[in-house]
Amino acid sequence: MVIGISTFDFQLSTFMSLLVLGTVAFDTIETPFGKADRIIGGAGVYISWAASHFHNDIKLVSVIGDDYPQAELDALTARGVDVSGIEKRAGEKSFFWAGKYHMDMNSRDTLITELNVLENYSPVLPEDYRSPEMLLLGNFAPAVQMEVLKQLKTRPKLVALDTMNFWMDIAMDDLKEVLKQVDVLIINDEEARQLSGQYSLVKAARTIREMGPKYLVIKKGEHGALLFYNEHVFFMPALPLEEVFDPTGAGDSFAGGFMGYLAKTGDISHESMKRALVYGSVTASYCVEAFGPNRLKEIDDSALRARTLEFLSLMDVTVEEIR
Ligand code: AMP
């Protein structure tokens, strides 16, 4: 397998600016190994921490209540994430989600989704948010994802989107509308099946790509991820981990690492996306090692570099000839 990563340059760079939309939330998480009550979470938070290991020109748009700790926003700012696009609503509560993982840690049930500030949220992008070169529409109401797109002055070079079953259940038509404008869709296998109505992921990918996205990434938890583009299918395993503590945010961390790498290099070719899948997987592998985004906050370049090498050695095979 050749994916062409020859240098491990984790120096931050800002080849293309990256705008991120995603929830900034509180989560209650139950896994077979423990429970964490009302900890920091949200797709926008995981994405930003993940992408900040590659890139330091990230702008985050979201909404919170006055219950969200300022110190968490300051920590993001210190990582090069501009949080001036996060609207703070006095007297309201931040988005809250509670989920419980099954024994295999690959599947979970949503126990509670309290939209709170997300109800009636209509984003207003600050002036300096309106011309990003890359856009990651993280998990959010599809109507809000569309609103962000509408407020941009120019179309970004790459638009990626993540969503989940919750929005497919209540806003499928809006989601299909926004998908028409998306280049890369990043979802998990269950979501791909729900969106397409197809069990076979190959058929699902064909159906979904007809909805708009040229590229489709299907995440399969501990079983890796698939990248579909035209008739090509590329497979990336996940690192077999000794400790999986809390998978929450793994999908968002994957998307953040993936887009952070693409924005850092400015290369949005198919080959570059294959490499981005490595960095997305490496970043997600750290996320699951602790509750919340804690591991993503701790790691540094040398940790990422070491795990990237470990990761590549998983696929260290040269096929000379197939008989
Ligand atoms: P992931 O495990 O990558 O799917 O992401 C989990 C994060 O998504 C949690 O931190 C939640 O706060 C957030 N989340 C859960 N449900 C939703 C939703 N319906 N819309 C947006 N974000 C959500």
Side-chain angles (χ1 to χ4, degrees):
M1 174 183 287
V2 180
I3 46 177
I5 293 181
S6 52
T7 54
F8 303 98
D9 174 12
F10 283 98
Q11 294 303 306
L12 292 173
S13 60
T14 53
F15 215 96
M16 288 194 189
S17 53
L18 176 61
L19 176 61
V20 173
L21 167 74
T23 45
V24 174
F26 291 112
D27 294 338
T28 289
I29 300 156
E30 261 182 80
T31 79
F33 305 110
K35 186 172 177 193
D37 256 317
R38 282 187 74 78
I39 59 169
I40 293 304
V45 171
Y46 284 104
I47 291 171
S48 299
W49 275 105
S52 76
H53 289 290
F54 301 89
H55 199 55
N56 56 8
D57 184 7
I58 301 165
K59 296 189 187 309
L60 176 58
V61 56
S62 194
V63 60
I64 52 175
D66 53 15
D67 50 358
Y68 203 80
Q70 182 61 38
E72 291 295 328
L73 302 182
D74 294 343
L76 282 170
T77 307
R79 290 291 306 178
V81 180
D82 182 350
V83 297
S84 61
I86 300 182
E87 185 184 325
K88 190 171 183 172
R89 293 204 173 164
E92 291 192 41
K93 288 202 288 184
S94 300
F95 178 74
F96 173 71
W97 175 81
K100 182 175 179 175
Y101 288 84
H102 300 169
M103 199 56 207
D104 67 359
M105 297 281 251
N106 250 348
S107 50
R108 71 182 177 204
D109 295 323
T110 288
L111 303 178
I112 304 170
T113 302
E114 280 178 15
L115 293 176
N116 298 328
V117 279
L118 257 59
E119 299 219 43
N120 312 316
Y121 170 57
S122 184
V124 179
L125 298 186
E127 203 47 39
D128 62 345
Y129 271 52
R130 293 182 184 224
S131 312
E133 288 163 298
M134 294 183 61
L135 172 64
L136 174 49
L137 295 167
N139 195 5
F140 223 108
V144 174
Q145 294 175 319
M146 182 64 108
E147 192 48 44
V148 168
L149 269 169
K150 280 189 188 156
Q151 290 181 28
L152 301 183
K153 287 186 186 150
T154 49
R155 196 199 187 270
K157 295 192 176 75
L158 194 76
V159 178
L161 182 140
D162 183 12
T163 188
M164 72 185 276
N165 50 1
F166 180 85
W167 301 114
M168 290 181 199
D169 291 342
I170 64 168
M172 188 62 117
D173 290 346
D174 288 352
L175 177 61
K176 287 189 175 167
E177 224 19 66
V178 72
L179 280 178
K180 290 180 188 163
Q181 304 208 37
V182 164
D183 302 305
V184 188
L185 176 64
I186 306 172
I187 49 178
N188 70 28
D189 43 0
E190 198 186 321
E191 291 154 357
R193 290 187 170 114
Q194 181 170 353
L195 180 59
S196 64
Q198 304 270 10
Y199 183 79
S200 151
L201 292 180
V202 174
K203 287 186 184 163
R206 200 170 298 131
T207 305
I208 292 169
R209 289 183 53 252
E210 280 163 8
M211 296 175 180
K214 290 189 283 293
Y215 292 92
L216 171 66
V217 178
I218 300 183
K219 299 164 289 176
K220 290 162 63 65
E222 65 172 330
H223 305 299
L226 295 159
L227 170 67
F228 292 87
Y229 173 63
N230 288 336
E231 292 313 307
H232 305 283
V233 189
F234 179 71
F235 172 66
M236 181 62 51
L239 197 67
L241 292 171
E242 208 157 319
E243 303 282 1
V244 175
F245 219 71
D246 169 22
T248 307
D252 306 313
S253 306
F254 178 96
F258 178 87
M259 287 295 276
Y261 171 77
L262 293 177
K264 168 195 166 87
T265 60
D267 180 354
I268 54 171
S269 65
H270 183 209
E271 289 309 306
S272 179
M273 287 201 196
K274 293 179 188 176
R275 292 190 285 276
L277 243 61
V278 175
Y279 293 108
S281 306
V282 164
T283 316
S285 78
Y286 277 111
C287 173
V288 303
E289 287 182 343
F291 274 112
N294 288 339
R295 281 295 278 150
L296 293 180
K297 293 180 179 180
E298 280 169 13
I299 55 171
D300 59 9
D301 295 358
S302 63
L304 282 167
R305 189 177 292 115
R307 195 159 277 184
T308 302
L309 285 167
E310 200 184 325
F311 194 88
L312 290 175
S313 72
L314 268 183
M315 300 169 285
D316 193 7
V317 55
T318 314
V319 179
E320 296 296 341
E321 190 186 351
I322 298 175
R323 289 176 218 270

